[in-house]
Amino acid sequence: MSREDEPSSPEVDDREFQNENRDRVQARALRKQLQQLAQGGAGAVLQEMAKEILSGRVGLREAMRVPAYAEALGERVRTYRESWERMTPEERERQLSEARRFLEAQRQEIEREIRGEKPTF
């Protein structure tokens, strides 16, 4: 049976990504970014990595020790950095504002969950 044929295993939750340097909001954002990578838009290697991490079969740190994953992620970071360097100050500020809004939305989502409210989509 190939990986594609394996039954879908439940995903790990935000707590899997929390540590002394990453709070709950950052952990939620990381999980959601991994979910996006798991959709395949960034290529097969990062898709596999994200699925392995989200399933709990591989930890985040362990994944970074896999040469293929580290190389693919490094290339993705390099490409983003080059794009960032070409941006105007206004474009950079828009990107930063978007990131702040995303993190604030994650914080609000967590607060709604704590209060027992249903998610809004």
Side-chain angles (χ1 to χ4, degrees):
M1 172 164 46
S2 72
R3 280 226 164 120
E4 291 79 34
D5 297 332
E6 289 178 12
S8 180
S9 57
E11 282 190 5
V12 297
D13 65 17
D14 298 345
R15 291 176 299 223
E16 179 70 23
F17 305 113
Q18 282 181 259
N19 63 29
E20 64 276 354
N21 297 316
R22 192 176 307 114
D23 67 21
R24 191 167 181 183
V25 173
Q26 293 167 326
R28 169 77 48 105
L30 175 57
R31 182 179 52 80
K32 287 190 174 187
Q33 293 299 313
L34 286 166
Q35 288 172 327
Q36 285 185 339
L37 289 174
Q39 296 302 310
V45 174
L46 292 178
Q47 179 181 30
E48 177 185 301
M49 178 196 76
K51 286 181 176 182
E52 290 293 300
I53 293 169
L54 289 168
S55 71
R57 288 187 295 264
V58 174
L60 189 57
R61 288 182 189 206
E62 183 182 2
M64 294 302 96
R65 292 187 201 110
V66 175
Y69 296 166
E71 183 179 323
L73 194 56
E75 178 60 25
R76 183 95 169 161
V77 169
R78 184 188 64 74
T79 301
Y80 182 77
R81 185 185 71 238
E82 289 171 355
S83 173
W84 178 264
E85 289 170 354
R86 287 190 304 271
M87 288 180 191
T88 66
E90 294 80 16
E91 290 170 323
R92 288 180 185 179
E93 186 52 42
R94 275 194 300 275
Q95 288 284 317
L96 290 170
S97 293
E98 188 176 312
R100 286 185 204 103
R101 281 192 300 276
F102 176 74
L103 290 173
E104 178 60 20
Q106 303 318 298
R107 185 190 62 72
Q108 290 176 5
E109 184 177 279
I110 291 167
E111 288 178 0
R112 284 191 299 274
E113 288 172 5
I114 290 169
R115 290 191 304 264
E117 298 174 12
K118 295 187 190 246
T120 57
F121 297 100

